Amino acid sequence: MAEPERTGRRLRPAPLLFEPAEATADPEHFFDLESIEDPRELLARATELTLAFRAAQERAVEFQALAAAQLADPRRFDRLSPDAIAAQAEWTEDYARRMIEFGESLQRGRADLT
C-alpha cells in the first residue's frame, strides 16, 4: 500500500452515480461508459470518474488514519496495538505505525482549526 500523502489542494470529485443492481451484475458495465460512443465524451466522463475515485481514495485514507490513531490512543482503555490494527486493516505493522502517526497529525491539524 502506498505511503499516505497530503496534498495542499482537494480535487473536486465528479458525481458518482450508483448503478442499479442488474447493471452491476454485467461485468462489462461500468458507470455506463460502455454506452458512450463519442470518444471525446468518453474521455471527459472517464477522466471525471478517475478524478472522483482518486479524491475518494485520498479521503478514505485520511479516515483510515484517523480511525487508526483513535484506536491506538493510549487514553483508551480498549486501545489496540499497531499489530492488532495492522491485522484488522490488512496492513503491515510498519504501515499501521505510519498511519497512526498520520492520523495523529490530522487530529492535531483539526485541533488547530478550532
Side-chain angles (χ1 to χ4, degrees), residues 4-22:
E5 233 178 75
R6 287 250 330 147
T7 59
R9 71 183 179 102
R10 287 241 185 257
L11 299 174
R12 184 140 204 109
L16 295 178
L17 305 174
F18 292 97
E19 301 181 273
E22 58 276 358

Side-chain angles (χ1 to χ4, degrees), residues 12 15 23 26 33-36 38 64 66 71 77 83-85 87 96 108:
R12 184 140 204 109
D26 178 7
L33 292 178
E34 70 285 346
S35 69
I36 300 174
D38 177 16
Q64 282 181 312
L66 286 168
L71 289 169
F77 76 93
D83 63 320
I85 294 170
R108 281 190 301 274

Side-chain angles (χ1 to χ4, degrees), residues 2-104:
E3 177 78 22
E5 233 178 75
R6 287 250 330 147
T7 59
R9 71 183 179 102
R10 287 241 185 257
L11 299 174
R12 184 140 204 109
L16 295 178
L17 305 174
F18 292 97
E19 301 181 273
E22 58 276 358
T24 58
D26 178 7
E28 295 299 313
H29 186 83
F30 188 72
F31 288 90
D32 210 27
L33 292 178
E34 70 285 346
S35 69
I36 300 174
E37 294 184 19
D38 177 16
R40 283 184 177 86
E41 184 182 342
L42 177 60
L43 179 61
R45 181 61 181 150
T47 301
E48 286 176 350
L49 286 170
T50 298
L51 294 173
F53 286 129
R54 199 175 290 149
Q57 184 269 337
E58 288 175 7
R59 201 67 182 121
V61 167
E62 290 177 354
F63 279 104
Q64 282 181 312
L66 286 168
Q70 290 170 2
L71 289 169
D73 188 337
R75 295 172 295 188
R76 289 178 63 110
F77 76 93
D78 61 344
R79 73 177 171 267
L80 296 179
S81 64
D83 63 320
I85 294 170
Q88 185 173 340
E90 298 181 10
W91 297 332
T92 64
E93 188 175 342
D94 181 57
Y95 187 75
R97 289 182 194 285
R98 289 184 291 167
M99 286 294 277
I100 291 166
E101 290 172 8
F102 179 47
E104 290 168 345

